[in-house]
Amino acid sequence: MIRKIKRLHVLVIIGALLPIPYGSFFLPLFYWWIRKKDKDNNYFNTQAKNILNFQLLFSILGTIYLIFFWHYFIEVKIEKFNEINYEFLWYFIAIAIIVNILYPIFIIIKMAIENKPRIYYPNIIHFF
């Protein structure tokens, strides 16, 4: 069971690195669909749902954030300002790296050390 949960976290990382929109959500989703019918998977299903809910919420919020950035970018280009402030785009990139790459790596290492799974992702909004 721990291996399956670790694979979910690895798929979040791989999905974040691939040039697929919402990849950090869709790769764990497909893996969960394949594995959710296995026996004795209550803990795995809970863990997978928490990961998927968190990743979907983060992806939706990131999309909204990027829409506002592009609106700002186009507005500045129309006004013919030469100086565009990319600072808040860098904040988004930093948060995305922390959430989609560094946090799952931290979870995998912590699970390997403790050798027991815990719920690491908050279950903020229930999509699943």
Side-chain angles (χ1 to χ4, degrees):
M1 176 177 52
I2 292 177
R3 275 201 254 155
K4 287 194 281 188
I5 295 171
K6 286 180 186 177
R7 286 184 192 139
L8 276 172
H9 295 294
V10 169
L11 289 172
V12 169
I13 297 168
I14 292 170
L17 295 175
L18 291 176
I20 300 171
Y22 292 81
S24 61
F25 168 73
F26 284 119
L27 287 179
L29 177 68
F30 294 140
Y31 183 72
W32 176 59
W33 275 343
I34 292 168
R35 295 293 182 181
K36 76 178 185 178
K37 293 183 181 179
D38 292 347
K39 295 179 181 178
D40 298 329
N41 271 346
N42 291 332
Y43 192 78
F44 172 73
N45 285 333
T46 304
Q47 187 80 265
K49 288 177 185 179
N50 284 353
I51 291 170
L52 293 171
N53 288 331
F54 184 80
Q55 290 298 327
L56 183 60
L57 178 64
F58 181 76
S59 297
I60 290 170
L61 291 176
T63 302
I64 293 168
Y65 187 83
L66 288 177
I67 288 170
F68 283 120
F69 172 76
W70 285 113
H71 174 71
Y72 165 77
F73 180 77
I74 291 170
E75 190 175 292
V76 168
K77 283 294 189 182
I78 290 173
E79 306 259 340
K80 300 199 189 245
F81 292 122
N82 291 334
E83 198 170 305
I84 298 173
N85 186 3
Y86 291 102
E87 185 175 328
F88 59 95
L89 180 63
W90 291 113
Y91 290 138
F92 172 74
I93 292 170
I95 291 170
I97 289 171
I98 291 170
V99 169
N100 289 326
I101 298 172
L102 297 179
Y103 188 61
I105 290 173
F106 166 76
I107 292 171
I108 292 168
I109 292 171
K110 189 150 174 89
M111 286 175 68
I113 291 171
E114 292 178 352
N115 202 19
K116 64 178 182 175
R118 285 189 6 215
I119 304 290
Y120 291 98
Y121 283 93
N123 198 357
I124 301 168
I125 296 177
H126 300 281
F127 295 110
F128 295 96

